[in-house]
Amino acid sequence: MTESIHTLVIGGGQAGVATSTHLQKNGVPHLLLERDRIAERWRTWRWDSLVANGPAWHDRFPDAEFTDLDPDEFAPKERVADYFERFARDRSLPVRTGIAVTKLERTAAGFRATTADGTIEAQNVVVATGPFQKP
Protein backbone atom coordinates (compact mmCIF):
# COMPACT_ATOMS: atom_id res chain seq x y z
CA MET A 1 0.00 0.00 0.00
CA THR A 2 1.29 3.48 -0.88
CA GLU A 3 0.21 6.53 1.07
CA SER A 4 0.83 10.14 0.04
CA ILE A 5 1.41 13.13 2.30
CA HIS A 6 2.77 16.64 1.82
CA THR A 7 5.45 16.37 4.50
CA LEU A 8 6.83 13.36 6.35
CA VAL A 9 8.63 13.83 9.66
CA ILE A 10 10.86 10.94 10.70
CA GLY A 11 11.61 10.79 14.42
CA GLY A 12 9.43 11.43 17.45
CA GLY A 13 11.82 13.14 19.82
CA GLN A 14 12.04 16.81 20.69
CA ALA A 15 12.85 17.98 17.15
CA GLY A 16 10.22 15.81 15.48
CA VAL A 17 7.47 16.84 17.90
CA ALA A 18 8.42 20.52 17.56
CA THR A 19 8.47 20.24 13.76
CA SER A 20 5.08 18.55 13.71
CA THR A 21 3.67 21.30 15.94
CA HIS A 22 4.85 24.05 13.60
CA LEU A 23 3.57 22.22 10.53
CA GLN A 24 0.18 21.74 12.21
CA LYS A 25 -0.01 25.43 13.21
CA ASN A 26 0.66 26.39 9.60
CA GLY A 27 -1.88 23.99 8.14
CA VAL A 28 0.67 21.77 6.40
CA PRO A 29 -0.59 18.19 5.94
CA HIS A 30 2.01 15.92 7.48
CA LEU A 31 2.70 12.68 9.28
CA LEU A 32 5.24 11.96 12.02
CA LEU A 33 6.68 8.44 12.20
CA GLU A 34 8.54 7.13 15.25
CA ARG A 35 10.06 3.66 15.32
CA ASP A 36 9.43 3.22 19.05
CA ARG A 37 7.46 5.48 21.41
CA ILE A 38 7.57 9.27 21.48
CA ALA A 39 10.86 10.29 23.16
CA GLU A 40 11.99 6.67 23.48
CA ARG A 41 15.65 7.66 23.45
CA TRP A 42 15.06 9.79 26.56
CA ARG A 43 13.48 6.79 28.30
CA THR A 44 15.80 3.90 27.46
CA TRP A 45 18.95 5.16 25.75
CA ARG A 46 20.16 7.62 28.40
CA TRP A 47 21.74 7.13 31.81
CA ASP A 48 19.33 7.02 34.75
CA SER A 49 20.56 10.28 36.32
CA LEU A 50 20.06 12.40 33.18
CA VAL A 51 18.19 15.67 33.65
CA ALA A 52 17.36 18.48 31.21
CA ASN A 53 20.12 21.03 30.56
CA GLY A 54 18.16 23.89 32.08
CA PRO A 55 15.40 24.51 34.60
CA ALA A 56 11.78 23.69 33.76
CA TRP A 57 10.87 27.33 33.06
CA HIS A 58 13.53 27.38 30.34
CA ASP A 59 13.68 23.86 28.86
CA ARG A 60 10.14 23.61 27.51
CA PHE A 61 8.16 24.39 24.40
CA PRO A 62 6.89 28.00 24.24
CA ASP A 63 3.23 27.10 24.76
CA ALA A 64 3.51 24.24 27.29
CA GLU A 65 4.76 24.25 30.86
CA PHE A 66 6.06 21.38 32.94
CA THR A 67 2.96 21.25 35.14
CA ASP A 68 4.41 18.75 37.61
CA LEU A 69 7.69 20.56 38.36
CA ASP A 70 8.77 23.68 40.16
CA PRO A 71 9.91 26.17 37.49
CA ASP A 72 13.47 26.09 38.87
CA GLU A 73 13.73 22.27 38.92
CA PHE A 74 15.69 20.34 36.30
CA ALA A 75 13.39 17.75 34.72
CA PRO A 76 14.52 14.12 35.03
CA LYS A 77 14.62 12.14 31.79
CA GLU A 78 11.32 10.30 32.45
CA ARG A 79 9.47 13.57 32.99
CA VAL A 80 10.98 14.98 29.79
CA ALA A 81 9.80 11.92 27.83
CA ASP A 82 6.34 12.10 29.42
CA TYR A 83 6.20 15.83 28.60
CA PHE A 84 6.86 15.23 24.88
CA GLU A 85 4.38 12.36 24.75
CA ARG A 86 1.67 14.40 26.52
CA PHE A 87 2.42 17.43 24.33
CA ALA A 88 1.91 15.39 21.13
CA ARG A 89 -1.27 13.77 22.45
CA ASP A 90 -2.80 17.02 23.77
CA ARG A 91 -2.32 18.69 20.38
CA SER A 92 -3.52 15.65 18.41
CA LEU A 93 -0.35 15.60 16.35
CA PRO A 94 -0.49 13.07 13.48
CA VAL A 95 1.91 10.59 15.07
CA ARG A 96 2.30 6.91 14.30
CA THR A 97 4.52 4.99 16.66
CA GLY A 98 6.13 1.60 16.21
CA ILE A 99 6.89 2.29 12.55
CA ALA A 100 10.50 2.39 11.43
CA VAL A 101 11.52 3.95 8.15
CA THR A 102 13.91 1.44 6.62
CA LYS A 103 14.65 3.25 3.37
CA LEU A 104 14.30 6.79 2.07
CA GLU A 105 14.84 7.62 -1.58
CA ARG A 106 14.50 10.68 -3.78
CA THR A 107 11.89 10.53 -6.54
CA ALA A 108 10.89 12.93 -9.29
CA ALA A 109 7.97 14.17 -7.14
CA GLY A 110 9.84 14.26 -3.81
CA PHE A 111 10.61 11.26 -1.62
CA ARG A 112 9.59 7.66 -1.01
CA ALA A 113 9.88 6.18 2.47
CA THR A 114 9.71 2.43 2.94
CA THR A 115 8.32 1.04 6.19
CA ALA A 116 7.09 -2.36 7.36
CA ASP A 117 3.56 -0.93 7.04
CA GLY A 118 4.02 0.13 3.43
CA THR A 119 5.33 2.99 1.36
CA ILE A 120 4.81 6.69 1.98
CA GLU A 121 5.38 9.26 -0.73
CA ALA A 122 5.99 12.84 0.38
CA GLN A 123 6.88 16.11 -1.28
CA ASN A 124 9.07 17.00 1.71
CA VAL A 125 10.84 15.03 4.43
CA VAL A 126 12.24 16.22 7.74
CA VAL A 127 14.70 13.75 9.27
CA ALA A 128 14.58 14.43 13.01
CA THR A 129 16.46 11.39 14.24
CA GLY A 130 18.92 13.05 16.62
CA PRO A 131 22.36 14.60 16.48
CA PHE A 132 24.58 11.51 16.57
CA GLN A 133 22.78 8.96 14.43
CA LYS A 134 24.21 7.22 11.42
CA PRO A 135 22.47 8.13 8.14
Side-chain angles (χ1 to χ4, degrees):
M1 172 180 91
T2 299
E3 183 177 355
S4 294
I5 191 76
H6 183 276
T7 301
L8 177 64
V9 180
I10 303 170
Q14 180 176 355
V17 170
T19 299
S20 180
T21 301
H22 287 288
L23 292 169
Q24 183 183 62
K25 284 181 179 180
N26 286 287
V28 177
H30 70 285
L31 173 63
L32 187 155
L33 297 181
E34 167 54 45
R35 67 179 165 188
D36 293 307
R37 297 180 289 175
I38 294 290
E40 182 66 25
R41 298 291 176 158
W42 277 89
R43 293 184 193 284
T44 58
W45 286 67
R46 305 290 191 259
W47 56 93
D48 291 340
S49 61
L50 178 70
V51 296
N53 290 335
W57 67 264
H58 180 270
D59 281 6
R60 63 179 183 83
F61 289 147
D63 55 350
E65 309 261 333
F66 277 95
T67 56
D68 58 344
L69 292 174
D70 180 275
D72 291 325
E73 273 187 84
F74 287 70
K77 69 178 186 114
E78 281 297 326
R79 286 213 180 123
V80 172
D82 291 344
Y83 172 86
F84 292 135
E85 193 171 44
R86 185 174 51 253
F87 186 92
R89 183 183 60 247
D90 289 352
R91 283 149 185 82
S92 300
L93 297 180
V95 176
R96 291 187 198 158
T97 57
I99 300 174
V101 174
T102 56
K103 185 177 183 180
L104 182 64
E105 24 183 7
R106 192 109 166 85
T107 66
F111 298 91
R112 180 181 306 114
T114 304
T115 76
D117 283 1
T119 303
I120 299 172
E121 294 180 346
Q123 294 173 29
N124 306 289
V125 173
V126 176
V127 179
T129 57
F132 304 112
Q133 310 303 329
K134 293 181 182 179

